[in-house]
């Protein structure tokens, strides 16, 4: 997990600057959309590549009251780092660290009978009550309990509650197509969620929170907010989908800026093949810039020939293949010195591309662009302290 690094005094090969002030402002902008619902900061996968611990702290400082992770190990690491309050994790496999999760006061998710058996067993051994959230599959078809199996899961959860082994703190689900406005699955999932939560409550469960909204639902579907929203990508200032709008349309600001220092600038003749496979050939005499990041750093190989980079005031394009540690851009005769800043993506207001531009260039989603930035790229956390 990336810890806050000092602001570098010397240029580094590459770095991802993480603007925690922007993250706090994004959390506040998201909370302003809520009427009564609380906000869970989703910080799984090292906070989508932004650094889990500093981002979790910043989100709590801005009023988030829950933290969410996929794996129990991620949640345990947050607790070990001293993060207070409610932390939920939802991606379990048999034999998972239930006992550690109970001891660390995590909220754990249960999608089926095997998980309920494991968590009640661990609670009995610990002599403590586990906080359990039951997950319903309302139509995503991924994790979660199918509607037909829900009565059995609810009945067994009620028994475990009566035995003092668990407390069902939440009922929850996840959308398949909240980023596609008007998709018919949205209302179908909402209807099923209402039915499944109503059934569980009629049977006697008294959850603190019911939740289904991710970022796109939080931004565009207020009827989905219930008691809690789980926001990931929007908190990092990235739009869930270009179809919904830009980050600025929602009052959000991108948190990550990815920069590298040009390692070499050189003049080459026309007809020169560039990088593995020679998929780019210089059309005439030109200058090349060597950008010292590659697919080992999370730069998609699919950016070969397409990825945009701001260098010396102009957008340049990856020339030829992205290699493991480096790629080349055609500088078109310009000769910025080695060491010049190459900005792959950032908020966009200094003319640099955004993560959305990279997603479009690579045929993927901006979630993947920020999350995949590798561990070899130091995260530099800026604006960690609130000013004023
Ligand atoms: C279960 C769950 N909830 C919430 C989120 C956050 O989604 P988003 O980043 O769209 O806000 C995710 C992320 O994929 C998730 O898996």
């Amino acid at each position: 997990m990336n810890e806050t690094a000092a602001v570098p005094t010397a240029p580094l090969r590459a770095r991802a600057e993480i603007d925690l002030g922007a993250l706090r402002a994004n959390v506040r902008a998201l909370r302003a959309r809520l009427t009564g619902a609380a906000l869970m900061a989703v910080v799984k996968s090292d906070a989508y590549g932004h650094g889990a611990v500093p981002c979790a702290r910043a989100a709590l400082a801005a009023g988030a009251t829950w933290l969410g992770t996929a794996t129990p190990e991620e949640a345990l690491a947050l607790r070990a780092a001293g993060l207070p309050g409610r932390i939920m994790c939802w991606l379990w496999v048999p034999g998972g660290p239930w006992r550690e999760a109970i001891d660390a006061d995590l909220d754990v998710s249960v999608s089926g009978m095997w998980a309920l058996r494991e968590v009640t067993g661990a609670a009995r051994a610990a002599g403590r009550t586990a906080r359990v959230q039951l997950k319903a599959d309302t139509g995503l078809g991924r994790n979660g309990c199918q509607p037909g199996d829900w009565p059995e899961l609810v009945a067994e959860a009620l028994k475990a509650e009566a035995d003092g082994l668990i407390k069902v703190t939440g009922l929850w689900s996840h959308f398949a197509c909240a980023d596609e406005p008007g998709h018919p699955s949205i209302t179908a999932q909402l209807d099923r969620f209402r039915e499944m939560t109503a059934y569980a409550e009629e049977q006697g469960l008294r959850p603190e929170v019911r939740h289904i909204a991710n970022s796109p639902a939080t931004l565009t579907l207020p009827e989905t907010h219930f008691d809690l929203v789980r926001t990931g990508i929007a908190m990092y200032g990235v739009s869930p989908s270009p179809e919904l709008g830009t980050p600025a349309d929602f009052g959000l600001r991108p948190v990550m800026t990815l920069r590298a220092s040009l390692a070499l600038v050189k003049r080459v003749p026309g007809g020169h093949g560039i990088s593995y496979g020679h998929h780019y050939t210089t059309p005439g005499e030109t200058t090349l810039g060597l950008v010292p990041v590659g697919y080992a750093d999370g730069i998609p190989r699919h950016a070969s020939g397409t990825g945009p980079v701001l260098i010396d005031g102009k957008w340049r394009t990856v020339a030829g293949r992205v290699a493991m540690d480096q790629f080349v851009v055609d500088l078109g005769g310009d000769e910025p010195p080695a060491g010049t800043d190459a900005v792959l993506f950032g908020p966009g207001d200094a003319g640099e591309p955004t993560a959305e531009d990279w997603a479009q260039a690579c045929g993927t989603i901006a979630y993947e662009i920020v999350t995949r930035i590798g561990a070899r790229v130091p995260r530099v956390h800026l604006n960690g302290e609130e000013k004023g």
Side-chain angles (χ1 to χ4, degrees), residues 40 42 44 48 69-70 90 135 140 142 172-175 211-218 229-236 240 367:
M40 176 189 288
V42 178
K44 63 187 174 138
Y48 293 35
T69 70
W90 48 75
K135 182 169 193 189
L140 174 61
R142 207 171 66 176
W172 74 293
S173 191
H174 193 43
F175 278 118
H211 50 111
I212 187 170
N214 53 0
S215 289
T218 302
V229 299
R230 304 186 308 272
T231 52
I233 199 74
M235 213 173 60
Y236 305 109
Y367 288 74

Side-chain angles (χ1 to χ4, degrees), residues 98-119:
W98 300 103
R99 174 70 192 263
E100 291 86 340
I102 294 167
D103 289 342
D105 249 337
L106 305 181
D107 282 61
V108 302
S109 177
V110 160
S111 288
M113 289 302 299
W114 73 261
L116 190 59
R117 277 192 291 274
E118 291 207 358
V119 73

Side-chain angles (χ1 to χ4, degrees), residues 8 22 31 37 40-41 67 75 88 176 185 190 207 223 249 309 333 348 367:
R31 285 182 58 225
M40 176 189 288
L67 300 172
M88 176 178 173
S185 68
L190 254 188
E223 69 277 23
D249 292 338
V309 189
Y367 288 74

